[in-house]
Amino acid sequence: MTSVSIRIAGANGDGVESSGALLMKVAARNGLHAFGYRGYQSIIRGGHVWYQIRISDSKLRSHGEGIDILIALNQDAITNQKSHLNSNAVIIYDPSKVKVNELDAAKFKLAAVPLLDIAIEVSGDPIMRNVVALGSALRFVGVDIAAFNDVLKKMFSRKGDKVVESNVKAAERGYNCAGVSTLYGIKGDGKQRYAMDGNTALSIGAYASGCKFYAAYPMTPASSILHWFASHEDKGVMPKQTEDEIAAINMTIGAASAGARAMCGTSGGGFSLMVEGLGLAGMVEAPIVVVESQRSGPSTGLPTKTEQADLLFVMHASQGEFPRIVVAPRSVEESFVIASNAFNLAERYQCPVVMMMDLFLSEHVETIDQPNLDAVTIDRGKIVTEQKEQGRFKRYLITDDGVSPRSLPGTKGLEFVAGSDEHDEVGDLVSDAFSGIDWAVDVRNKMHSKRMRKMETMLRNEKGMFVPHIDADGDYYLVTFGSTAGVAMEAVEILRSKGRRAGLISFNYIMPLDEEATRKALEGKKLINVEGNYTGQLAQVIRLNTGIKIDSHILRYDGEAFTGEWIASEAMKIMG
Amino acid sequence: MMIMSDAQNANPAAKPRQVFTSGVKPIFCPGCGDFGVLAGLQKALQELGIEKERVVIVSGIGCSSSMPHPFSTYGVHSLHGRLLPVAAGVKLANNDLTVIGTGGDGDGYGIGVGHLIHTARRNIDLTYIIMNNEIYGLTTGQASPTSLVGAKTKTTPFGSIETPENPTGIALAAGATYVARAFSGDPMHMAQLIKGGIEHKGFAIIDVFSPCVTFNDLNTFDWFRKRVYKLEQVGHDSTSISAAMERSLEAEKTNWDKIPIGLFYKVDRPTYSDLDMTLKNGPLVKQPAPSKQQVLDILEEYK
């Protein structure tokens, strides 16, 4: 596998992100694999931002450690990024704006391209300097300029021929600039792919499975899901920006109770506000999907940085006990698959499903193949439209599998009240007037057991779902969950290339957990726990469920995303 | 029950009369103002003749929030202060339903007041009945957001020092399109205001003085009877928001000597459902999942 990492660095407002997105599209449309991740701060103008795109001839699972080509849009880009430059890295810069004397000229290839002059000359617009720089970068990578021009034409055709023409001209000038030459020569396989981030894949997965309603209050890194639903309102989905996350989850419960497939989403801070609502969904057995895209906490934490420290919180959020499903997609592709399945699980078991994302998975852009749309099925569970027995409808009928028949408002003869208080089979409360009386104690026992039984039913019915995946065998196994699984796989490949027999065990459907299958998968193996938090939360879950204690940990909580190289080098210290 | 049989006699309707009672006994104390609201809402629903399966009564937590249970309609007895978002979610998912919110002053003017403002400004087509007893009843008598200055409660044994909230004023400022106030001691008048609220297309709020006979010995039935007067008897212009706001301030200005009840304000404005793009194709619950081709079309954006 050959790969090259390009990092565009500048200030907010320099067009860093749109340049990165443009490069991702070039790769996706030309049979290349690419992985993009950005670094930014909670500031609208200024600050120091970067977008790193790694391009390869085979599937990538991280943006990579270090920079092969740096597009330095300002002086900060040199100062802040020089420590990340790989040896022989190329630095593309405008000599009129950026001085490179702090770099050792012998160690790098310095490509002085008059970005601004060219931009002004071809279009009169200084922002076009980014296109010039991308032209130069693609020449170094070895991507044909025609491929770049195709994307520019597609992207700007709506803005008229003149805009297209000046973009193409800017790209060609950068591509052909003196001092710019091909260094890598990465070739694509000619297969067009999609370029999208985890939140987009999740949104499309939800849409495909009939999700009609999405409620949220803006919060990084979940906001882009709300943006997705808002920009696809004309496709038959309803986005609802609410006054707070409390309203978001309660509206979602209302919409789901009325019969629409409904979802809400937030990050850890907003999820904290949703907690009481999560319990309501558990109690009234409302099928909702909640996205929790984690960022560095606690409190406001690092709003634009990643972490996986909310696992135990999500698994235990809310007072009391109720059935819930906690899932953590391991990749962009799996964000689509799990989102589309989440609604089936929610409706089949009439309980909340929480999808754990994180900033890294929500925001990094990857080239992916077409999702398997034939695998998207819709199962709405035990929705009924009539009942055979006489008398009031038993919405909370005590059943062996714990799942009761469910009616939707508008259905004649099956009216019921869904109560957040403890209730009997028809939904009448036992809490206010009767709790403590013998028969009411019995109702509570039976109703609570009925709900909790759904956890056992899930494990029994969804064979092979709530289990760890042995992705690779080895002498040592990295053990991880969610978004870190992909990067850990890359670490496994690096370790193997260095002669270490490393394996990988990863978790995606984490709660309920099949204890037996988990014990079988982990028992007797040398395990290294890899997680984006301080306390090794997955390791705690494993220990609680199986008694297996993992003693080796690779933990990261500095806000930066894992890379394969970083995990591999930490693993080497443990493996010796 | 008196009221319902009265209505039956007065109006031998063409439609077969529906029974809106589930048989569940309310938890209210004997003499509680909430009995009047229960009767008023039963009467309004019967007069309107809406099929009971199309009615969803959503409540929060508190004495008055047990309201859905005596009804044979659909209902959600949700969380303290959260009935409005739940009700809005039901309505947005299926705008064929008649959605009614019922709760108390602690629920709606205290912990949930933020939702009141936002649901009002969105003009979501709901009817929200707040049983305002100026006290926390179910938690045994603490001060509420509408407790008067000087009110002695368990949490204000030396008298409340906080200015009470002005519910109709807040609703008007927030953009509610139907603002009314009723008194549980006059259930016939209240039933008409509730009926008007349900018939109104948009967010309707009815603040109901519903005395707590156990924990509030200040704002009693008698106390209200001496002070309330009906807006319709004094030529109030309910199309004027300025006049409505003026009336909203009256109780406070007169040191609670004169308290108007009746319809403060009503205006026709497009509802959220009228304006929402998605609902142009019918209720959300009736819209099918996308076809494979529709998903492929969306994926195309990412090539």
Coordinates of all heavy atoms in Angstrom, one line a residue, chain B residues 132-134 146-151 164 181-185 207-213 216-229 250-252 254-261:
Chain B
N132 N -54.2 26.0 37.1 CA -53.3 26.9 37.8 C -53.9 27.1 39.3 O -54.9 27.7 39.4 CB -53.3 28.3 37.1 CG -52.4 29.3 37.8 OD1 -51.8 29.1 38.8 ND2 -52.4 30.5 37.2
N133 N -53.2 26.5 40.2 CA -53.8 26.6 41.6 C -52.8 27.3 42.5 O -53.0 27.3 43.7 CB -54.1 25.2 42.2 CG -52.9 24.3 42.2 OD1 -51.8 24.7 41.9 ND2 -53.1 23.0 42.5
E134 N -51.8 28.0 41.9 CA -50.9 28.8 42.7 C -50.2 28.1 43.8 O -49.7 28.7 44.8 CB -51.6 30.1 43.2 CG -52.1 31.0 42.2 CD -53.5 30.7 41.7 OE1 -54.1 29.8 42.3 OE2 -53.9 31.2 40.6
T146 N -46.8 30.9 40.3 CA -47.9 31.8 40.3 C -48.4 32.2 41.7 O -49.4 32.9 41.9 CB -49.0 31.3 39.4 OG1 -49.3 30.0 39.8 CG2 -48.7 31.4 38.0
S147 N -47.7 31.7 42.7 CA -48.0 32.0 44.1 C -47.9 33.5 44.3 O -46.9 34.1 43.8 CB -47.1 31.3 45.1 OG -47.3 30.0 45.1
L148 N -48.8 34.1 45.0 CA -48.8 35.6 45.1 C -47.8 36.0 46.1 O -47.4 35.2 47.0 CB -50.2 36.1 45.6 CG -51.4 35.8 44.7 CD1 -52.6 36.5 45.2 CD2 -51.1 36.2 43.2
V149 N -47.3 37.3 46.0 CA -46.4 37.8 47.0 C -47.1 37.7 48.4 O -48.2 38.1 48.5 CB -46.0 39.3 46.6 CG1 -45.2 39.9 47.8 CG2 -45.3 39.3 45.3
G150 N -46.4 37.2 49.3 CA -46.9 37.1 50.7 C -47.5 35.8 50.9 O -47.8 35.5 52.1
A151 N -47.7 34.9 49.9 CA -48.3 33.6 50.1 C -47.5 32.8 51.0 O -46.3 32.7 50.8 CB -48.5 32.9 48.7
P164 N -45.2 36.9 41.1 CA -45.8 35.8 40.4 C -45.7 36.0 38.9 O -45.7 37.1 38.4 CB -47.3 35.7 40.9 CG -47.6 37.1 41.4 CD -46.3 37.7 41.9
R181 N -58.5 32.5 29.7 CA -58.4 32.2 31.1 C -59.8 31.8 31.6 O -60.8 32.4 31.2 CB -57.9 33.4 31.9 CG -57.8 33.2 33.3 CD -57.2 34.3 34.0 NE -55.8 34.0 34.3 CZ -54.9 35.0 34.8 NH1 -55.3 36.2 34.9 NH2 -53.7 34.6 35.1
A182 N -59.8 30.7 32.4 CA -61.1 30.3 32.8 C -61.0 30.1 34.3 O -59.9 30.2 34.9 CB -61.5 29.0 32.1
F183 N -62.2 29.8 34.9 CA -62.3 29.5 36.4 C -63.0 28.2 36.6 O -64.1 28.1 36.0 CB -63.0 30.7 37.1 CG -63.3 30.5 38.5 CD1 -62.4 29.9 39.4 CD2 -64.5 31.0 39.0 CE1 -62.7 29.7 40.7 CE2 -64.8 30.8 40.4 CZ -63.9 30.2 41.2
S184 N -62.4 27.4 37.3 CA -63.0 26.0 37.5 C -64.4 26.1 38.2 O -65.2 25.2 38.1 CB -62.1 25.2 38.4 OG -62.5 23.9 38.4
G185 N -64.6 27.2 38.9 CA -65.9 27.5 39.5 C -67.0 27.8 38.5 O -68.2 27.8 38.9
D207 N -55.5 29.2 30.6 CA -55.1 29.2 32.0 C -56.3 29.1 32.8 O -57.2 29.9 32.7 CB -54.3 30.5 32.2 CG -53.9 30.6 33.7 OD1 -53.0 29.9 34.1 OD2 -54.4 31.6 34.4
V208 N -56.4 28.0 33.6 CA -57.6 27.8 34.4 C -57.3 27.9 35.9 O -56.4 27.2 36.4 CB -58.2 26.4 34.1 CG1 -59.4 26.2 34.9 CG2 -58.4 26.2 32.7
F209 N -58.0 28.9 36.5 CA -57.9 28.9 38.0 C -58.6 27.7 38.6 O -59.8 27.6 38.4 CB -58.6 30.2 38.5 CG -57.8 31.5 38.2 CD1 -58.5 32.5 37.6 CD2 -56.5 31.6 38.5 CE1 -57.8 33.7 37.3 CE2 -55.8 32.8 38.2 CZ -56.4 33.8 37.5
S210 N -57.8 26.8 39.1 CA -58.4 25.6 39.6 C -58.0 25.3 41.0 O -56.9 24.7 41.3 CB -57.8 24.5 38.7 OG -58.4 23.2 39.0
P211 N -58.7 25.9 42.0 CA -58.2 26.0 43.4 C -57.9 24.6 44.0 O -58.5 23.6 43.8 CB -59.4 26.6 44.1 CG -60.2 27.4 43.1 CD -60.0 26.6 41.8
C212 N -56.8 24.7 44.8 CA -56.4 23.5 45.5 C -57.0 23.6 46.9 O -56.7 24.6 47.6 CB -54.9 23.5 45.7 SG -54.2 22.2 46.8
V213 N -57.9 22.7 47.2 CA -58.6 22.8 48.5 C -57.9 22.3 49.7 O -58.3 22.4 50.8 CB -60.0 22.1 48.4 CG1 -60.9 22.7 47.3 CG2 -59.8 20.6 48.0
N216 N -53.9 25.3 49.5 CA -53.9 26.7 49.2 C -55.1 27.3 49.9 O -56.2 27.3 49.3 CB -53.9 27.0 47.7 CG -53.6 28.5 47.4 OD1 -53.9 29.3 48.3 ND2 -53.1 28.8 46.2
D217 N -54.9 27.9 51.0 CA -56.1 28.5 51.7 C -56.2 30.0 51.4 O -57.0 30.7 52.0 CB -56.2 28.2 53.2 CG -54.8 28.4 53.9 OD1 -54.0 29.1 53.3 OD2 -54.6 27.8 55.0
L218 N -55.4 30.5 50.5 CA -55.5 31.9 50.1 C -56.3 32.0 48.8 O -57.4 32.6 48.8 CB -54.1 32.4 49.8 CG -54.0 33.8 49.2 CD1 -54.6 34.9 50.1 CD2 -52.5 34.2 48.9
N219 N -55.9 31.3 47.8 CA -56.6 31.4 46.5 C -57.7 30.3 46.4 O -57.7 29.4 45.6 CB -55.7 31.2 45.3 CG -54.4 32.1 45.5 OD1 -53.4 31.6 45.8 ND2 -54.6 33.4 45.3
T220 N -58.8 30.5 47.2 CA -59.9 29.6 47.2 C -61.0 29.9 46.2 O -60.9 30.9 45.5 CB -60.5 29.6 48.6 OG1 -61.1 31.0 48.8 CG2 -59.5 29.4 49.7
F221 N -61.9 28.9 46.1 CA -63.1 29.2 45.2 C -63.7 30.5 45.5 O -64.0 31.3 44.6 CB -64.1 28.1 45.3 CG -63.8 26.9 44.5 CD1 -63.3 25.7 45.0 CD2 -64.1 26.9 43.1 CE1 -63.0 24.6 44.2 CE2 -63.8 25.8 42.3 CZ -63.3 24.7 42.8
D222 N -63.9 30.8 46.8 CA -64.6 32.1 47.2 C -63.7 33.3 46.8 O -64.2 34.3 46.4 CB -64.9 32.1 48.7 CG -66.2 31.3 49.0 OD1 -66.9 31.1 48.0 OD2 -66.4 31.0 50.2
W223 N -62.4 33.1 47.1 CA -61.5 34.2 46.8 C -61.6 34.6 45.3 O -61.7 35.8 44.9 CB -60.1 33.7 47.1 CG -59.0 34.8 47.0 CD1 -58.6 35.6 48.0 CD2 -58.2 35.1 45.9 NE1 -57.6 36.5 47.6 CE2 -57.3 36.2 46.3 CE3 -58.1 34.7 44.6 CZ2 -56.4 36.8 45.4 CZ3 -57.2 35.2 43.7 CH2 -56.3 36.3 44.2
F224 N -61.6 33.6 44.4 CA -61.7 33.9 43.0 C -63.1 34.4 42.6 O -63.2 35.3 41.9 CB -61.5 32.6 42.2 CG -60.0 32.3 42.0 CD1 -59.4 31.2 42.6 CD2 -59.2 33.1 41.3 CE1 -58.1 30.9 42.5 CE2 -57.8 32.8 41.2 CZ -57.3 31.7 41.8
R225 N -64.2 33.8 43.2 CA -65.5 34.2 42.9 C -65.8 35.7 43.1 O -66.4 36.4 42.3 CB -66.5 33.4 43.7 CG -67.4 32.5 42.8 CD -68.4 31.7 43.6 NE -68.3 30.3 43.1 CZ -67.9 29.2 43.9 NH1 -67.7 29.4 45.1 NH2 -67.9 28.1 43.3
K226 N -65.1 36.2 44.2 CA -65.3 37.6 44.5 C -64.5 38.5 43.5 O -64.7 39.7 43.4 CB -64.8 37.9 45.9 CG -65.7 37.5 47.0 CD -65.1 37.8 48.3 CE -65.9 37.0 49.4 NZ -65.0 36.5 50.4
R227 N -63.6 37.9 42.8 CA -62.7 38.8 42.0 C -62.8 38.7 40.5 O -62.5 39.6 39.7 CB -61.2 38.5 42.4 CG -60.9 39.0 43.8 CD -59.6 38.4 44.3 NE -59.2 39.0 45.5 CZ -59.7 38.8 46.7 NH1 -60.6 37.9 46.9 NH2 -59.2 39.4 47.8
V228 N -63.2 37.5 40.0 CA -63.2 37.3 38.5 C -64.4 38.0 37.9 O -65.5 38.1 38.5 CB -63.2 35.8 38.1 CG1 -61.9 35.1 38.6 CG2 -64.4 35.1 38.6
Y229 N -64.2 38.5 36.7 CA -65.3 39.0 35.8 C -65.0 38.5 34.4 O -63.9 38.2 34.0 CB -65.3 40.5 35.9 CG -64.2 41.2 35.2 CD1 -64.4 41.6 33.8 CD2 -63.0 41.5 35.8 CE1 -63.4 42.2 33.1 CE2 -62.0 42.1 35.1 CZ -62.2 42.5 33.7 OH -61.2 43.1 33.0
E250 N -54.1 43.5 34.4 CA -55.1 44.1 35.2 C -55.0 43.5 36.7 O -55.1 44.3 37.6 CB -56.5 43.9 34.6 CG -57.5 44.7 35.4 CD -58.9 44.6 34.7 OE1 -59.0 44.0 33.6 OE2 -59.8 45.2 35.2
A251 N -54.9 42.2 36.8 CA -54.9 41.6 38.1 C -53.8 42.2 39.0 O -54.1 42.6 40.1 CB -54.8 40.1 38.0
E252 N -52.6 42.3 38.4 CA -51.5 42.8 39.2 C -51.7 44.3 39.5 O -51.5 44.7 40.6 CB -50.2 42.6 38.4 CG -49.1 42.1 39.2 CD -47.9 41.8 38.3 OE1 -47.9 40.9 37.5 OE2 -46.9 42.6 38.4
T254 N -54.5 45.9 39.9 CA -55.5 46.1 40.8 C -55.3 45.4 42.1 O -56.2 45.2 43.0 CB -56.9 45.7 40.3 OG1 -56.8 44.3 40.0 CG2 -57.3 46.4 39.0
N255 N -54.0 44.9 42.3 CA -53.7 44.2 43.5 C -54.6 43.0 43.7 O -55.1 42.7 44.8 CB -53.6 45.1 44.7 CG -52.8 44.4 45.9 OD1 -52.0 43.6 45.6 ND2 -53.1 44.8 47.1
W256 N -54.9 42.3 42.6 CA -55.8 41.1 42.5 C -57.2 41.4 43.0 O -57.9 40.5 43.5 CB -55.1 40.0 43.3 CG -53.8 39.7 42.7 CD1 -52.6 40.3 43.0 CD2 -53.5 38.7 41.7 NE1 -51.6 39.8 42.2 CE2 -52.2 38.8 41.4 CE3 -54.3 37.8 41.0 CZ2 -51.5 38.0 40.4 CZ3 -53.7 37.0 40.0 CH2 -52.3 37.1 39.7
D257 N -57.7 42.6 42.8 CA -59.1 42.9 43.0 C -60.0 42.5 41.9 O -61.1 42.1 42.0 CB -59.3 44.4 43.3 CG -59.2 44.7 44.8 OD1 -59.2 43.8 45.6 OD2 -59.1 45.9 45.1
K258 N -59.5 42.8 40.7 CA -60.2 42.5 39.5 C -59.4 41.5 38.6 O -58.3 41.9 38.1 CB -60.5 43.8 38.7 CG -61.6 44.6 39.4 CD -61.9 45.9 38.6 CE -62.8 45.5 37.4 NZ -63.1 46.7 36.5
I259 N -60.0 40.4 38.4 CA -59.3 39.4 37.6 C -60.1 39.0 36.4 O -61.2 38.3 36.5 CB -58.9 38.1 38.4 CG1 -58.2 38.5 39.7 CG2 -58.1 37.1 37.6 CD1 -58.0 37.3 40.7
P260 N -59.7 39.3 35.2 CA -60.5 39.0 34.0 C -60.4 37.5 33.6 O -59.3 36.9 33.7 CB -59.9 39.8 32.9 CG -58.5 40.2 33.3 CD -58.5 40.1 34.8
I261 N -61.5 36.9 33.3 CA -61.5 35.5 32.6 C -62.2 35.6 31.3 O -63.0 36.6 31.1 CB -62.1 34.4 33.6 CG1 -63.6 34.8 33.9 CG2 -61.3 34.2 34.8 CD1 -64.3 33.6 34.6

